[in-house]
Amino acid sequence: QVQVVESGGGVVQAGGSLRLSCAASGPPGVTLGMGWFRRAPGKEREFVAYIKWSGDSTYYGDVGKGRFTISRENGENTAYLQMSRLKPEDTAVYYCGVRQWGPATGWEREVTYDYWGQGTRVTVSS
């Protein structure tokens, strides 16, 4: 059973930056990749970013393009989400998910993830 833990959330002023971390532990580790989603108050969970474990290709949803960067720690089951130029509408709980068994595509859809963390809250004040 893989355990997923997010950290790094907090309160930041608009225009500021935060870096979220996601650590996965337990066998077999991360095989396909890690992704970030978020749920803003009163809204459904939406795709933010994904990184493939093989080759480090990255993919972004519309919400974070040009402002957010996903990366991973080589040799570790850890991924990061660097968020810059934050806006009040980025206020949400951010969730990290781990994909283990496929399909190889579809990372923008929640149902393709096998494990989830409890989320970390980000509040952007105006």
Side-chain angles (χ1 to χ4, degrees), residues 1-2 4 31-32 97-103 110-116:
Q1 181 81 7
V2 174
V4 182
T31 55
L32 292 181
V98 171
R99 301 177 78 241
Q100 296 287 52
W101 296 290
E110 294 179 67
V111 294
T112 66
Y113 289 74
D114 301 291
Y115 301 100
W116 290 97

Side-chain angles (χ1 to χ4, degrees), residues 36 38 46-50 58-70 81-87 89-90 94 107-108:
W36 287 95
R38 73 183 190 185
E46 61 184 344
F47 172 67
V48 177
Y50 178 76
T58 57
Y59 305 87
Y60 296 91
D62 291 338
V63 298
K65 281 182 180 176
R67 299 187 299 126
F68 296 175
T69 303
I70 189 170
L81 184 68
Q82 177 68 47
M83 304 186 295
S84 302
R85 304 199 306 276
L86 284 162
K87 308 173 183 178
E89 51 264 43
D90 293 318
Y94 285 73
W107 46 79
E108 72 280 6

